[in-house]
Amino acid sequence: MSKLDPPSFDFPDFAPGSVWLVGAGPGDPGLLTLLAHHALNHADVIVYDALVDRRVLALRRSDAALDYAGKRGGRPSAQQEDISLRLIRLARTDKRVLRLKGGDPFVFGRGGEEAIALREAGVPFRVVPGITAALGGLAYAGIPATHRDLNQSFAFVSGHNTGGALPQRVDWDALAGAAPTIVVYMALGHLREVADRLIAAGRGADEPAAIVAKATTAEQRVIVTTLAHAAADAEQAAVAAPAMLVVGPAVALRDRMRWFD
Ligand code: SAH
């Protein structure tokens, strides 16, 4: 190689018998990483979740098998254990296994549980991060995650635990005081409760809030409201999942930055 040759990027080998845990981003296929695209081009089987956009799946190798790991006909999601076992079994048949998740695999995506199960089973794996819904969704909603004048921190929090209740392990009081911008994933089920907790912890009832649904897709909806009115406005607008709640002064900047929807 001469000094004038540009440095080249070589894609890592997607070896048969291995699993790639890959983030598919929030929807728009343009937000896939080059590694995610590479994995789609090479995988023998794709184990995917409900949140993975159909247009992303359409980028797969034409003879790749699709294996749905989400909710089936209204029945509860496949058990996490079952999914990990399925990944291990597929890898042991010498397939290139692509485990494709919405957003980022390690952000409320149980990617950590699958990675540990794979390691314990001796199955080699690679993790490919994706654009998480909060970052993709805020960008497409025209709400900056940080803004020098407004916030030096932000928090991503789950509004839902495995049992479907508001997570008890979240310290809502500490959170309310620590992060001017708060994005609540899986927020629709407990919108009123989340807002009440934040207001009880000192956040203003009339603080700007937004519900961002189906972000980065043609069906993106952004409902700008206040903390106190978020639940009623979401109900009135019949917002459908997936959706996040965004709270904080940065929401008000959408008026000046809106570009997508
Ligand atoms: N691993 C994913 C999150 C999975 S939890 C990630 O990193 O994005 C599922 C939650 O993500 C949904 O309840 C919703 O709050 C959020 N979400 C995912 N995709 C979304 C989208 N396109 N628009 C709005 N919220 C989304």
Side-chain angles (χ1 to χ4, degrees):
M1 191 175 92
S2 92
K3 271 192 183 153
L4 292 175
D5 283 335
S8 70
F9 169 65
D10 297 320
F11 281 98
D13 187 34
F14 194 164
S18 72
V19 177
W20 282 27
L21 294 169
V22 175
D28 184 345
L31 297 177
L32 288 171
T33 60
L34 290 174
L35 285 172
H37 192 238
H38 177 76
L40 280 159
N41 282 328
H42 289 85
D44 298 309
V45 52
I46 302 173
V47 181
Y48 68 101
D49 283 341
L51 281 176
V52 174
D53 196 281
R54 312 295 307 176
R55 294 165 302 164
V56 167
L57 289 175
L59 295 170
R60 71 186 184 278
R61 214 181 72 193
S62 58
D63 59 340
L66 283 183
D67 186 346
Y68 181 53
K71 291 190 173 77
R72 288 173 201 268
R75 278 195 285 144
S77 321
Q79 294 293 317
Q80 186 55 46
E81 237 179 17
D82 295 349
I83 298 172
S84 296
L85 281 177
R86 212 185 304 174
L87 297 176
I88 292 163
R89 282 204 196 106
L90 286 167
R92 286 186 175 152
T93 61
D94 231 26
K95 300 259 191 280
R96 299 176 188 85
V97 184
L98 168 53
R99 174 67 173 119
L100 198 57
K101 293 165 177 283
D104 181 278
F106 283 178
V107 178
F108 307 127
R110 304 187 184 178
E113 292 158 61
E114 290 170 16
I116 289 170
L118 292 168
R119 173 59 46 78
E120 285 175 349
V123 173
F125 65 86
R126 166 181 284 268
V127 181
V128 179
I131 294 188
T132 191
L135 293 178
L138 289 188
Y140 278 52
I143 301 168
T146 71
H147 186 289
R148 269 200 301 171
D149 299 337
L150 299 176
N151 64 313
Q152 266 61 50
S153 62
F154 56 90
F156 296 168
V157 58
S158 166
H160 209 276
N161 67 15
T162 10
L166 197 67
Q168 294 310 312
R169 272 185 286 176
V170 174
D171 184 342
W172 294 93
D173 292 333
L175 189 71
T181 299
I182 300 173
V183 182
V184 187
Y185 286 67
M186 297 169 269
L188 285 183
H190 302 285
L191 215 41
R192 194 171 302 273
E193 216 177 330
V194 167
D196 287 348
R197 293 292 288 268
L198 291 172
I199 293 169
R203 300 297 287 251
D206 55 4
E207 192 171 323
I211 293 127
V212 181
K214 300 190 178 170
T216 81
T217 74
E219 296 163 280
Q220 171 170 309
R221 289 180 76 189
V222 180
I223 292 152
V224 175
T225 174
T226 60
L227 202 42
H229 290 122
D233 286 354
E235 198 173 320
Q236 164 123 39
V239 185
M244 302 165 289
L245 171 70
V246 189
V247 179
V251 170
L253 297 181
R254 169 171 159 84
D255 266 355
R256 292 154 64 196
M257 286 179 44
R258 179 176 178 173
W259 62 275
F260 180 69
D261 58 276

